[in-house]
Amino acid sequence: MIFVTVGTHEQPFNRLIQYMDELKRDGKIDEEVFIQTGYSTYEPQYCQWSKMIPYNEMIRNVEEARIVITHGGPASFIMPLQIGKIPIVVPRKQEYGEHINNHQVAFARRIAETKGSIIIVENIQMLGTVISQYEERVNDMGVELQLNNKKFCDDFFKIVQDML
């Protein structure tokens, strides 16, 4: 299964949801896709979806998913990392009305560069390729995920402080 979450930010992220639905429709994804759509207005026709889901269900979906795709909100991609998954992160962009600025782009780039533990996709047209090459990309990253919350939180705090 592929699990997609766009978090609880009040602006829609229709671009990601619609593109995932189209990948499923066109047969470029043949496995089950479940999307948490949040405040988005696009309703998937080819993927299972729910606007909001309880946190325990979110955790279960991440645990069961082969691939987790998130927006660039830290809470959405930190949880998969804590569970031992390398998420694909598609940051929300201001120019599409998905957020008030491009801080998700800057933040996701910084995490990808300094931690090397996420796969960032800024061009939505590349998402299908990244999904099809997911295992190879993860293997090439050579990242060994450790479920060490204190170290992660300390490193995360330092990155945020450096950005401020």
Side-chain angles (χ1 to χ4, degrees):
M1 170 187 60
I2 296 174
F3 176 60
V4 181
T5 177
V6 301
T8 58
H9 181 71
E10 64 275 4
Q11 289 173 281
F13 199 4
N14 292 331
R15 182 171 58 102
L16 174 58
I17 296 164
Q18 183 173 351
Y19 197 75
M20 287 300 299
D21 204 37
E22 291 169 358
L23 289 172
K24 182 70 175 165
R25 177 197 67 202
D26 297 344
K28 294 180 181 174
I29 296 174
D30 58 6
E31 63 194 292
E32 177 187 345
V33 176
F34 185 89
I35 305 172
Q36 177 266 318
T37 63
Y39 290 98
S40 301
T41 56
Y42 179 86
E43 294 185 355
Q45 302 298 306
Y46 303 92
C47 301
Q48 296 178 358
W49 64 279
S50 179
K51 284 200 168 287
M52 301 291 178
I53 58 176
Y55 191 69
N56 62 340
E57 188 177 329
M58 179 86 69
I59 291 171
R60 189 180 79 244
N61 286 338
V62 169
E63 289 173 339
E64 294 176 1
R66 179 177 72 87
I67 297 174
V68 177
I69 301 172
T70 77
H71 70 133
S76 291
F77 67 78
I78 288 172
M79 189 258 286
L81 288 168
Q82 291 174 324
I83 291 175
K85 304 280 175 114
I86 294 179
I88 297 172
V89 177
V90 182
R92 293 171 177 264
K93 294 185 176 180
Q94 178 183 18
E95 56 264 35
Y96 298 109
E98 299 161 349
H99 220 302
I100 59 169
N101 58 32
N102 282 329
H103 74 276
Q104 284 196 358
V105 175
F107 188 71
R109 284 179 185 164
R110 182 72 185 261
I111 295 295
E113 291 168 7
T114 60
K115 302 302 287 171
S117 57
I118 65 172
I119 300 169
I120 185 172
V121 174
E122 293 185 52
N123 178 350
I124 199 82
Q125 301 298 318
M126 296 303 299
L127 186 55
T129 301
V130 171
I131 291 170
S132 68
Q133 298 172 349
Y134 178 77
E135 283 80 12
E136 298 104 58
R137 286 180 180 250
V138 168
N139 289 337
D140 289 346
M141 290 169 73
V143 173
E144 185 175 324
L145 292 177
Q146 298 176 1
L147 301 180
N148 183 337
N149 288 343
K150 179 169 178 6
K151 180 176 179 352
F152 183 86
C153 289
D154 290 346
D155 290 349
F156 180 72
F157 180 77
K158 184 177 179 341
I159 289 169
V160 170
Q161 288 300 315
D162 290 347
M163 290 183 73
L164 298 175

